């Protein structure tokens, strides 16, 4: 099974499948924002940016999946999934255990060289509060769902990285 997973990582379709899945997550967030009037908070915007990093990593992997560029894509996948998890976990903690006087930032602090909120304001401008739970499915908020999704993506990425290692050869003699 692990050998099949390794071979799967050499196919462009696997990387495009990952990219499509992440794109669905991004479009779902925008659908909630624009069609269900769920206002994104600054942590939501950061989670979108981290998912965009995962989308970028998947596209890098799709460029040349049979070359060492695949390893760069896997590392990008792991970093982006871990960041998404960390941000979703932080938001979940704020929602489940809201501090008495604290609030989240109203303006995102992207690096000067990557002002996503200026380049794509419709996607990366926060208008909500991090402690608002908003939408729930099966008693879980969007942030809680993203904790599970990003953890799953990280674990899959870790498994894909592990199977890239060469297998030890058995001696016949």
């Amino acid at each position: 099974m692990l050998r099949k997973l390794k071979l799967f990582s050499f196919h462009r379709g696997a990387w495009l499948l990952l990219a499509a899945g992440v794109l669905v997550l991004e479009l779902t967030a925008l659908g909630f924002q624009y069609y269900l009037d769920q206002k994104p908070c600054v942590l939501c915007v950061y989670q979108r940016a981290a998912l965009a990093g995962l989308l970028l990593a998947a596209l890098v992997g799709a460029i040349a999946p049979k070359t060492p560029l695949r390893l760069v894509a896997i590392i990008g996948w792991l970093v982006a999934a871990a960041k998404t998890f960390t941000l979703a976990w932080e938001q979940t903690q704020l929602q489940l255990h809201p501090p008495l006087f604290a609030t989240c930032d109203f303006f995102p602090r992207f690096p000067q060289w990557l002002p996503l909120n200026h380049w794509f304001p419709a996607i990366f401008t926060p208008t909500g509060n991090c402690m608002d739970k908003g939408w729930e499915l099966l008693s879980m908020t969007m942030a809680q769902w993203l904790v599970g999704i990003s953890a799953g993506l990280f674990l899959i990425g870790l498994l894909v990285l592990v199977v890239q290692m060469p297998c030890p050869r058995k001696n016949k003699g």
Side-chain angles (χ1 to χ4, degrees):
M1 181 179 137
L2 295 179
R3 181 167 163 72
K4 286 184 181 182
L5 182 60
K6 182 176 184 175
L7 292 175
F8 196 55
S9 74
F10 283 79
H11 292 281
R12 184 169 283 119
W15 291 98
L16 292 175
L17 181 63
L18 176 62
V22 174
L23 185 60
V24 165
L25 290 172
E26 293 280 22
L27 292 174
T28 300
L30 291 173
F32 274 93
Q33 179 179 347
Y34 289 106
Y35 294 107
L36 298 178
D37 202 32
Q38 297 287 312
K39 297 182 181 348
C41 67
V42 73
L43 288 174
C44 299
V45 166
Y46 290 154
Q47 290 165 48
R48 289 178 185 183
L51 283 172
L54 183 51
L55 177 61
L56 181 63
L59 294 174
V60 166
I63 290 170
K66 294 179 181 172
T67 69
L69 191 58
R70 177 183 73 263
L71 296 175
V72 172
I74 293 169
I75 298 300
W77 172 355
L78 291 170
V79 169
K83 188 63 178 176
T84 304
F85 176 86
T86 303
L87 292 163
W89 180 261
E90 182 181 346
Q91 185 177 5
T92 296
Q93 294 308 305
L94 284 172
Q95 291 173 345
L96 294 177
H97 313 290
L100 192 55
F101 296 108
T103 62
C104 58
D105 293 335
F106 291 108
F107 301 103
R109 290 187 241 150
F110 290 113
Q112 269 188 332
W113 54 269
L114 190 68
L116 294 175
N117 56 321
H118 296 296
W119 294 345
F120 307 104
I123 300 172
F124 296 109
T125 299
T127 56
N129 185 331
C130 296
M131 282 151 288
D132 290 344
K133 290 184 181 179
W135 175 89
E136 288 186 21
L137 177 66
L138 302 175
S139 299
M140 290 174 49
T141 66
M142 263 191 267
Q144 290 171 316
W145 279 102
L146 197 54
V147 164
I149 292 167
S150 58
L153 286 169
F154 181 83
L155 291 174
I156 293 167
L158 195 57
L159 186 59
V160 170
L161 178 63
V162 167
V163 300
Q164 302 303 308
M165 306 303 165
C167 296
R169 302 250 176 201
K170 292 181 182 177
N171 290 336
K172 293 186 178 185

